[in-house]
Amino acid sequence: MDFNALHHQNQPLLIANVWDASSALAAQQAGYYALGTSSAAIATLLGYEDGEDMSFDELLFIVTRIKAVTSLPLTVDLESGYGDITSRIIENIHRLARAGVVGINIEDSHVVNGVRSLDDAHTFARKIQELTAACPSIFFNIRTDTFLLNIEDALEETLSRGQLYAAHGANGLFVPGVTQPDSIAALTRHVTLPLNVMCMPTLPDFGTLASLGVRRISMGNFIHAAMQDRLKESLCKIQANQSFSDVFNYENN
């Protein structure tokens, strides 16, 4: 089944968001059908803040290492595209495609001096049209940050942007931060694109999401963050106990 078809099943596609080769292998061994990179997790791995502080070449290196160890379909979080002009973003997507990537996330917001703000919807839609025309083999999952930024009338703005992006070539709509069943149902009812939601503390269970019409579920950087917390806890215990006993107790369990 190709990557696009995975978005049109009865059950949502659960994406394993990974950040390096070992996490990709773990996801494959756990039985996932597709992988997605987490920009925030990769940024943390490389010692950067999220928001395109790392270079595209650094991102591409991680992507090539992931593709070297797994044949699962891989979609890449491209943030805002890693380019100031559309032609540079197209070049980046072509390089990802040559590395074996089948899809990307690209978002309708930018981080400037640590502050994220929404792009103009119509300007961004025209960019989508150019990108999809130039890269027809790639699945474009368009992320809108209306809920993430908690803007006024977020649902109405998301519906408007989703319909606009669908008309300009998007293949999927990613709405991080949306968790209310009524809002999710409105989006699946009024936007023709497969809806992608993201792990949040109040996100409904997967069965409920399926009944609401969700077609894709992402993890964001939350799995990586949880692992980092566990790592810090283990290191602190070693230091406090002056012993490796907790390491081997964990292995035995």
Side-chain angles (χ1 to χ4, degrees), residues 2-4 6-7 13-20 23-24 33-40 42 56 59-60 62-64 66-67 70-79 92-93 96-97 99-107 137-143 171-174 196 216-220:
D2 67 25
F3 188 62
N4 182 69
L6 290 172
H7 294 76
L13 170 63
L14 179 60
I15 294 277
N17 284 107
V18 300
W19 51 91
D20 61 8
S23 58
Y33 292 103
L35 307 176
T37 63
S38 163
S39 65
I42 293 175
F56 176 77
L59 172 63
L60 182 61
I62 298 293
V63 168
T64 59
I66 291 171
K67 287 302 300 176
T70 176
S71 60
L72 290 177
L74 175 65
T75 181
V76 169
D77 182 353
L78 198 57
E79 302 191 68
N92 291 341
I93 297 171
L96 290 172
V101 169
V102 297
I104 64 160
N105 286 0
I106 191 164
E107 58 208 34
S137 66
I138 293 292
F139 186 98
F140 281 82
N141 196 39
I142 306 302
R143 178 178 125 174
N171 302 113
L173 181 66
F174 179 26
N196 180 184
R216 174 166 159 173
I217 304 169
S218 299
M219 300 174 178

Side-chain angles (χ1 to χ4, degrees), residues 168-247:
H168 284 76
N171 302 113
L173 181 66
F174 179 26
V175 188
V178 65
T179 60
Q180 289 298 316
D182 288 350
S183 296
I184 292 171
L187 289 167
T188 61
R189 188 164 57 248
H190 297 296
V191 179
T192 58
L193 300 172
L195 178 64
N196 180 184
V197 298
M198 187 180 77
C199 169
M200 298 292 288
T202 57
L203 188 72
D205 64 78
F206 297 166
T208 301
L209 292 174
S211 70
L212 293 171
V214 169
R215 288 290 171 259
R216 174 166 159 173
I217 304 169
S218 299
M219 300 174 178
N221 69 319
F222 290 102
I223 304 303
H224 178 262
M227 288 188 60
Q228 289 296 106
D229 287 342
R230 183 61 185 263
L231 172 61
K232 183 178 179 180
E233 179 186 351
S234 295
L235 292 173
C236 287
K237 284 183 177 179
I238 293 167
Q239 184 76 284
N241 298 336
Q242 293 293 287
S243 164
F244 292 116
S245 59
D246 282 305
V247 175

Side-chain angles (χ1 to χ4, degrees), residues 115-176:
V115 177
R116 183 178 292 277
S117 57
L118 283 175
D119 296 338
D120 175 78
H122 290 276
T123 301
F124 186 75
R126 289 192 292 272
K127 179 189 290 187
I128 293 171
Q129 193 166 42
E130 290 184 61
L131 296 178
T132 56
C135 310
S137 66
I138 293 292
F139 186 98
F140 281 82
N141 196 39
I142 306 302
R143 178 178 125 174
T144 182
D145 285 340
T146 43
F147 277 86
L148 195 68
L149 295 174
N150 197 29
I151 69 161
E152 188 175 358
D153 298 322
L155 178 58
E156 289 75 11
E157 181 66 22
T158 307
L159 289 169
S160 174
R161 285 176 179 253
Q163 292 163 359
L164 181 64
Y165 300 163
H168 284 76
N171 302 113
L173 181 66
F174 179 26
V175 188

